[in-house]
Amino acid sequence: MPEECLFCAEERDIWARLDCGHTGMCWKCALRVRFKGDKEKRELCLECQTPSKGVYLFKDSPEKGSDATQDRVWGIWCEDESVLMEVKYLRDMYCPAYGECGVDDIFGGWNELKKHLNEEHGVSFCNVCVENRPLFLSEQTLYNQRQIKKHESTTESCELDESNFHGHPKCYFCNILTYDTLDLYDHMHQKHILCEFCERTPDKKLIFYRSFSELTAHWRSAHFYCERCHDELKGRGDHHPSEWTFGNEIDFKAHEAKKHGAKAVLDIGIGVRSYADERQRGGYRGGSQPSASDPDHSETGFSSEHVITFQ
């Protein structure tokens, strides 16, 4: 047997044999692939990429012996009862410190386990990591209060985390943490509105807004917005403000000439309102949400703008 797993490079004492005969994958990698990985690849051998429905976990011999026992939850075979118990401790809701605290019973639920960890050990899981990392609960990192704050922060580092981890970026509109920058990007696209005109600028800014009314206020102050079309067509279901918003003066002047006549004169007010960076302001502080027509939009105490920067 190899001394290290071919995939995680960790030294293990339990290995996995698949139907194809390969034994280079440790038991944890085999179970992660099968029960935490992509659904399309869960029954593939990572060494040869062939389908392999059966999994046999062993310490000594890859050949199934008379002491082999089957886990009834997952249907996998184990060399003996000791290997089966390791599978149960990996999967089920045991205290991750079961060898130290003396509580060997399975907890009845997630909240019961969290309460035990907090009261008896002074530690907790990171909920964002539990929801997003393809690991079993017993493999998740436990943090004390000081460590969890550093772990979640994008400006500090926690000694328990890997060097390439940079915290959980926050959506300051929803006041929630996301797993990483890509997860934040997906969240912003699903829940909020991107300014397509800022995205087309040379620096390709990804600037999102909490609501469409706030995006329209931004268009009116930062881009070229046809107020005449706004007055004539606003509220009509067959028209959208993006039809009379433009990213540059040339397109706007062409619209003026075509839509309103060559002699049409439009007083474009490039607004004095500013949108402070939401991250520097610490997020939404409450209060009523302003409307796009509110002349004191910027004085309501929060910004409607959120900028994402990829590093």
Side-chain angles (χ1 to χ4, degrees):
M1 289 302 307
E3 294 182 357
E4 296 180 350
C5 174
L6 296 178
F7 300 95
C8 68
E10 296 287 339
E11 293 186 1
R12 305 289 190 194
D13 59 354
I14 302 176
W15 298 89
R17 191 205 70 201
L18 306 182
D19 287 346
C20 59
H22 284 124
T23 57
M25 186 161 44
C26 74
W27 69 296
K28 287 188 177 181
C29 284
L31 296 181
R32 288 185 201 128
V33 169
R34 184 149 301 237
F35 301 107
K36 292 290 186 178
D38 296 336
K39 292 183 179 179
E40 297 178 354
K41 300 180 180 179
R42 287 187 176 181
E43 291 187 354
L44 291 180
C45 170
L46 295 185
E47 292 188 61
C48 63
Q49 297 298 310
T50 58
S52 181
K53 293 185 178 182
V55 177
Y56 177 65
L57 306 182
F58 65 95
K59 291 181 178 180
D60 300 319
S61 173
E63 301 301 325
K64 188 185 296 184
S66 59
D67 292 332
T69 182
Q70 188 177 29
D71 175 61
R72 297 186 181 277
V73 176
W74 283 344
I76 62 175
W77 283 90
C78 302
E79 186 178 51
D80 53 32
E81 284 292 334
S82 66
V83 175
L84 178 61
M85 284 307 302
E86 291 295 330
V87 171
K88 291 181 178 180
Y89 282 131
L90 179 71
R91 178 193 60 216
D92 298 333
M93 280 198 181
Y94 288 94
C95 173
Y98 62 85
E100 301 174 5
C101 73
V103 179
D104 292 336
D105 296 329
I106 299 177
F107 286 89
W110 171 239
N111 290 332
E112 186 179 337
L113 175 58
K114 288 198 298 183
K115 181 181 179 181
H116 168 80
L117 290 171
N118 182 54
E119 294 179 353
E120 299 298 328
H121 304 287
V123 294
S124 63
F125 292 110
C126 169
N127 292 333
V128 179
C129 287
V130 170
E131 292 175 2
N132 290 274
R133 296 186 71 191
L135 300 175
F136 295 102
L137 194 60
S138 61
E139 298 180 288
Q140 299 283 352
T141 304
L142 290 166
Y143 304 91
N144 60 34
Q145 290 186 354
R146 177 188 63 82
Q147 292 166 339
I148 195 71
K149 290 180 180 180
K150 288 189 173 183
H151 166 77
E152 293 175 348
S153 171
T154 56
T155 59
E156 298 185 76
S157 59
C158 175
E159 64 272 17
L160 300 181
D161 294 329
E162 297 179 357
S163 59
N164 61 350
F165 179 79
H166 303 293
H168 296 307
K170 186 177 185 179
C171 172
Y172 289 93
F173 292 158
C174 300
N175 199 32
I176 63 171
L177 296 177
T178 58
Y179 183 66
D180 55 20
T181 304
L182 291 178
D183 189 32
L184 174 62
Y185 179 78
D186 289 341
H187 167 84
M188 298 301 289
H189 268 289
Q190 293 172 11
K191 300 296 183 180
H192 307 296
I193 310 172
L194 174 68
C195 176
E196 59 186 276
F197 302 105
C198 290
E199 188 181 19
R200 296 173 191 168
T201 58
D203 53 357
K204 296 183 178 179
K205 292 181 178 179
L206 298 177
I207 304 179
F208 292 84
Y209 289 84
R210 186 191 308 270
S211 65
F212 184 74
S213 63
E214 292 168 350
L215 175 62
T216 303
H218 164 71
W219 283 348
R220 298 177 80 171
S221 66
H223 298 293
F224 295 89
Y225 188 87
C226 180
E227 297 289 350
R228 184 174 298 184
C229 285
H230 174 86
D231 294 337
E232 294 175 356
L233 303 174
K234 180 183 178 183
R236 288 179 51 176
D238 55 343
H239 290 278
H240 192 274
S242 61
E243 298 176 31
W244 54 84
T245 307
F246 304 90
N248 59 75
E249 188 175 10
I250 295 176
D251 291 341
F252 175 71
K253 292 297 183 183
H255 164 81
E256 273 192 312
K258 181 178 180 181
K259 184 71 176 179
H260 305 296
K263 295 183 179 180
V265 178
L266 180 63
D267 182 15
I268 309 172
I270 304 302
V272 296
R273 308 185 191 105
S274 64
Y275 293 94
D277 189 332
E278 191 76 21
R279 291 171 294 183
Q280 295 179 357
R281 297 178 67 98
Y284 177 51
R285 291 184 172 85
S288 61
Q289 181 169 315
S291 66
S293 59
D294 184 358
D296 295 322
H297 192 164
S298 64
E299 302 299 326
T300 55
F302 71 96
S303 163
S304 63
E305 183 179 275
H306 191 137
V307 182
I308 296 181
T309 302
F310 288 92
Q311 299 178 344

